[in-house]
Amino acid sequence: MAYENIRLEQDGAVATLFIDRPKALNALNSKTLQEMEAALGSIGTDVRVLIVTGGGEKAFVAGADIAEMAALSETQAQEFGALGHRVMAALEALPIPTIAAVNGFALGGGCELALACDLIYASEKAKLGLPEVGLGVIPGFGGTQRLTRAVGRARAKELIFTGERIDAVKAKELGLVLEVLAPEALLPHCREVAAKMLKNGPLAIAKAKRVIEQGADQDLRVANELERKTFGELFGSADQREGMKAFLEKRPASFTGK
Ligand code: HXC
């Protein structure tokens, strides 16, 4: 499908979603968010890893579109926030790993987009931050919650109250970014990580993602119960039989995701 502000490309089992509005540093306006929602909904079962990155040289996503937001009424702002939350929730609900390749500015809604992905890798040029309070608002696509869960309350408050932009090395120190790569090595690295995941059972990865995500919102006993139940359920799957049989037969497994 042809989109105006994004591109969804597929190479084998790996899809890459480019937020591609470089003139506005890939800022998320309603149209872009709507296109992202449609693109995420269109991802087929043949896609097993999704990489999210920014088009152009400078930005991953420099935030929600300030020019559009400036004129919003309270009601319209509620709707805009809800649209952004739906996109982030759709990313989290995908039964496949999502990798943010942060190639430049990841500010405000852009940082929140990265936070909604399972893993974040960043280029040496990346700058991350939640500068919304400088605009008289707060993060509105899940940043107050996902950043806090990722780095703890005090760090999240420091970043949100100061609105400070941090570089990729600092973001790695905080545990927000997993690795810092040279700009040209960023996408190849993400594809290498994806290739490692492709060797493993897709159903098991989908379940692991769900248990991690759902468990993180529960107390430990409830979360462990979810793990116990899901672990057992996988013994009803073809992938479990194949994975263990392949090990015993000393050959690579051929998973079907069933
Ligand atoms: C709209 C944006 C934009 C944004 C950049 N642009 N960020 N347009 N919304 N978030 C546009 C600029 O207006 C400019 O357009 C062009 O992109 C290039 O940007 P420059 O500012 O000229 O580039 P540079 O000097 O290199 O500065 C880069 C920058 C700066 C540091 C990233 O653009 C910046 O501070 N942007 C805003 C970052 C921000 O505050 N993000 C949070 C937004 S609030 P023209 O037409 O002049 O060339 C948010 C809330 C989320 O995300 C939740 C909502 C519910």
Side-chain angles (χ1 to χ4, degrees):
M1 190 171 159
Y3 298 106
E4 211 174 286
N5 297 335
I6 64 168
R7 275 184 293 134
L8 183 62
E9 294 179 358
Q10 192 174 340
D11 179 10
V14 180
T16 305
L17 176 63
F18 292 86
I19 314 305
D20 199 14
R21 222 189 136 211
K23 271 196 291 194
L25 302 187
N26 305 327
L28 301 175
N29 58 8
S30 299
K31 183 167 177 62
T32 308
L33 289 164
Q34 282 155 1
E35 289 186 350
M36 290 167 74
E37 193 175 27
L40 293 173
S42 78
I43 288 176
T45 50
D46 54 332
V47 174
R48 291 187 37 208
V49 179
L50 177 69
I51 297 170
V52 180
T53 194
E57 298 291 301
K58 250 177 100 171
F60 175 70
V61 166
D65 190 307
I66 300 168
E68 179 178 340
M69 284 190 299
L72 295 183
S73 67
E74 252 182 83
T75 310
Q76 288 168 329
Q78 298 284 5
E79 284 164 9
F80 185 68
L83 172 61
H85 271 282
R86 281 207 305 280
V87 171
M88 307 309 155
L91 269 170
E92 276 177 351
L94 281 179
I96 58 172
T98 54
I99 302 176
V102 176
N103 55 316
F105 290 112
L107 303 176
C111 188
E112 296 176 289
L113 174 63
L115 282 163
C117 293
D118 296 318
L119 315 177
I120 307 177
Y121 297 105
S123 127
E124 288 159 353
K125 289 189 339 195
K127 294 266 189 293
L128 298 93
L130 289 168
E132 283 91 340
V133 293
L135 298 166
V137 294
I138 65 169
F141 294 161
T144 58
Q145 305 310 307
R146 291 193 183 91
L147 182 68
T148 303
R149 282 161 170 76
V151 301
R153 285 187 202 189
R155 280 295 183 195
K157 286 174 182 168
E158 181 184 45
L159 286 169
I160 291 171
F161 297 172
T162 64
E164 183 195 22
R165 289 201 291 263
I166 57 171
D167 64 20
V169 171
K170 174 81 176 176
K172 187 180 172 200
E173 266 170 41
L174 299 185
L176 200 54
V177 157
L178 294 174
E179 302 295 342
V180 181
L181 288 307
E184 65 282 4
L186 177 63
L187 276 178
H189 177 78
C190 293
R191 292 187 185 117
E192 273 170 39
V193 172
K196 289 182 195 169
M197 295 174 177
L198 293 181
K199 294 193 180 123
N200 296 323
L203 186 64
I205 290 178
K207 297 289 184 191
K209 174 167 171 170
R210 196 173 58 90
V211 169
I212 292 168
E213 286 299 327
Q214 286 186 4
D217 295 333
Q218 312 276 351
D219 74 51
L220 186 60
R221 268 185 310 134
V222 175
N224 272 336
E225 185 55 19
L226 179 65
E227 184 197 80
R228 184 198 62 71
K229 193 161 166 282
T230 309
F231 173 80
E233 280 167 7
L234 282 164
F235 284 71
S237 72
D239 276 2
Q240 175 270 328
R241 286 189 294 281
E242 167 60 13
M244 294 193 181
K245 194 160 174 272
F247 174 82
L248 295 172
E249 292 172 359
K250 302 189 191 300
R251 61 169 174 83
S254 174
F255 291 113
T256 56
K258 295 201 169 91

